[in-house]
Amino acid sequence: MQNEFDVAVVGAGAAGLAAAGKLQALGRSVVVLEASGRVGGRAFTDGTSFSSAVDLGCAWLHQADRNPLTPLARALDFTLIDHEPAARHLMCQGQPASAAELHGLEQAEQALTERMAGVGPQDVAMASLLAAEPDWTAEMALRTIAELDTGGDAEDTSVLGVVAQGSTSPNWLVRQGMGRVVESLASGLRVALNTRVAEIEQVPGGVRLETSAGDIRARHCIVTVSTGVLRAEAIRFKPGLTNAALAALEALPMGHFNKVVLEFDAPLPGFAAGDWLSAGRNFQPEQALVFLVNPFGSRLVIALAGGSYGRQLSTMPAREAEDAVMAQLLGCLGSLGGRKLTGSMATDWATNAWTQGSYAYLRTGGGEARRALASAGSERIHFAGEASAMELAQTCGGAYLTGIQTAQRIEALLGKA
């Protein structure tokens, strides 16, 4: 393999592929080094395990009307579905929540939003906004924003960070899969799969990368791996990372957002394609789940779990994960209406060596850690990815934007050389 390039990119996810594509379009020689055996990173559409394709990682186009990946999905002639109108079902043993309970939940959500807006300048944890003895509606409102959105436990998630990120609406689903959208970014690029980077050293005039396929030299290097990989020191840096970079990584641990995919012999009755299902008054805060039912009219039900419980489902034996979510599903529905389970799968983002989690959440008191990480590189080594995104943070679209922005900065530097 050629071993000298203008830019070496570490990681073939949305940020790395976007950066490489931009630089190559500008006439620069670029190589993307990917430790795993596929492109896409935390975007992965599984098209073989079930009767319908399913996104095991990123699944929604957030802020879809201005997401940079929306035009790409359209150019691929993929089917985009507005998921905002999806019905939200709250049920306990087959009984839907009463009008009073639904009103109570709406009030709890509004009250939590108002408390969040009143926080500052001193940061607090999301969990601190609950009353001393919250009811299930207050707990559900909290866990939906914390564990089921940020991926961090409510006790460790920054209110100011959540407020800064703002709304993800409108949210659209991609019938063919978000993973396939990201994979398409690799077209025409030089990508070295199964190539692990062990060390990145800044040397006179450039960077030396020690990889499992031999040393590579480049004038600049873009590192797009997760904060989980960086925090685990899976890649050595010479010289070592600055105190500013280490502080940013401490404030941006990996959150956990995992899925248990269930397939039945027919779609669950009583639900439209893509409806939401949650527990009602039997909601379990420490085992918070939400179900995506019959997406795209399929026979799938996808259980989504975040925070510590998301990590737990990702690390337990597959059969135990299946049993756990089936128990909660039956707790909601009372029965399956004669449907039979035909297959299941749990995602493993928490134990995956190349991700070590799903996406980076901001710890309480983390402040400007995302901005700090984006600028924590050196003269030749640069960081990009969802953890450093200021717009669309924690998302595939945000990662893409950081890749483009970093590529533009490097092009400006190369133009001055």
Side-chain angles (χ1 to χ4, degrees), residues 104-126:
L105 179 57
E106 290 175 0
Q107 287 185 312
E109 292 171 338
Q110 180 62 33
L112 181 60
T113 300
E114 291 174 357
R115 292 191 197 105
M116 290 170 60
V119 170
Q122 185 67 36
D123 198 9
V124 297
M126 286 293 301

Side-chain angles (χ1 to χ4, degrees), residues 222-292:
I222 305 175
V223 180
T224 71
V225 300
S226 74
T227 62
V229 171
L230 293 173
R231 285 163 59 92
E233 300 182 358
I235 299 175
R236 300 185 301 274
F237 289 86
K238 288 186 176 181
L241 296 178
T242 64
N243 288 337
L246 294 174
L249 291 175
E250 176 61 25
L252 290 166
M254 291 298 280
H256 299 287
F257 189 76
N258 282 286
K259 305 178 183 182
V260 177
V261 184
L262 308 172
E263 182 160 38
F264 296 91
D265 57 357
L268 287 189
F271 297 92
D275 277 1
W276 291 111
L277 170 66
S278 301
R281 57 185 175 276
N282 58 342
F283 176 74
Q284 303 174 52
E286 304 307 317
Q287 297 181 340
L289 280 182
V290 63
F291 296 95
L292 178 63

Side-chain angles (χ1 to χ4, degrees), residues 4-311:
E4 292 190 8
F5 300 88
D6 288 324
V7 182
V9 178
V10 183
L17 295 175
K22 180 66 174 180
L23 287 162
Q24 184 166 289
L26 292 170
R28 302 299 179 179
S29 61
V30 187
V31 64
V32 182
L33 307 170
E34 170 56 46
S36 75
R38 62 171 181 81
V39 300
R42 285 164 273 167
F44 175 42
T45 304
D46 182 343
T48 60
S49 297
F50 301 98
S51 61
S52 302
V54 59
D55 276 313
L56 300 182
C58 311
W60 282 268
L61 283 164
H62 300 299
Q63 296 183 13
D65 55 349
R66 52 199 182 278
N67 190 304
L69 295 176
T70 300
L72 177 58
R74 285 178 166 150
L76 293 167
D77 201 26
F78 284 1
T79 303
L80 307 182
I81 297 175
D82 184 0
H83 200 220
E84 292 299 310
R88 182 183 184 188
H89 303 263
L90 273 67
M91 302 183 71
C92 177
Q93 293 298 323
Q95 297 299 313
S98 67
E101 288 173 328
L102 291 173
H103 180 63
L105 179 57
E106 290 175 0
Q107 287 185 312
E109 292 171 338
Q110 180 62 33
L112 181 60
T113 300
E114 291 174 357
R115 292 191 197 105
M116 290 170 60
V119 170
Q122 185 67 36
D123 198 9
V124 297
M126 286 293 301
S128 71
L129 302 182
L130 282 188
E133 296 183 5
D135 65 7
W136 70 267
T137 62
E139 285 280 14
M140 178 175 283
L142 174 71
R143 306 296 167 174
T144 298
I145 293 177
E147 285 87 346
L148 293 175
D149 190 356
T150 72
D153 290 337
E155 294 74 14
D156 192 38
T157 299
S158 161
V159 170
L160 294 182
V162 174
V163 171
Q165 287 180 229
S167 172
T168 61
S169 299
N171 296 287
W172 298 353
L173 287 167
V174 183
R175 181 183 292 273
Q176 291 81 358
M178 271 292 292
R180 289 189 57 197
V181 176
V182 177
E183 287 172 13
S184 73
L185 295 171
S187 178
L189 298 180
R190 184 193 297 264
V191 180
L193 299 177
N194 301 304
T195 304
R196 188 178 74 85
V197 175
E199 183 174 277
I200 302 174
E201 179 184 12
Q202 184 164 315
V203 297
V207 179
R208 179 191 65 84
L209 296 93
E210 178 188 322
T211 84
S212 55
D215 283 4
I216 287 175
R217 298 267 180 163
R219 297 169 69 185
H220 288 269
C221 174
I222 305 175
V223 180
T224 71
V225 300
S226 74
T227 62
V229 171
L230 293 173
R231 285 163 59 92
E233 300 182 358
I235 299 175
R236 300 185 301 274
F237 289 86
K238 288 186 176 181
L241 296 178
T242 64
N243 288 337
L246 294 174
L249 291 175
E250 176 61 25
L252 290 166
M254 291 298 280
H256 299 287
F257 189 76
N258 282 286
K259 305 178 183 182
V260 177
V261 184
L262 308 172
E263 182 160 38
F264 296 91
D265 57 357
L268 287 189
F271 297 92
D275 277 1
W276 291 111
L277 170 66
S278 301
R281 57 185 175 276
N282 58 342
F283 176 74
Q284 303 174 52
E286 304 307 317
Q287 297 181 340
L289 280 182
V290 63
F291 296 95
L292 178 63
V293 184
N294 307 338
F296 309 112
S298 69
R299 307 196 306 258
L300 303 179
V301 174
I302 304 173
L304 311 174
S308 293
Y309 189 54
R311 184 182 188 283

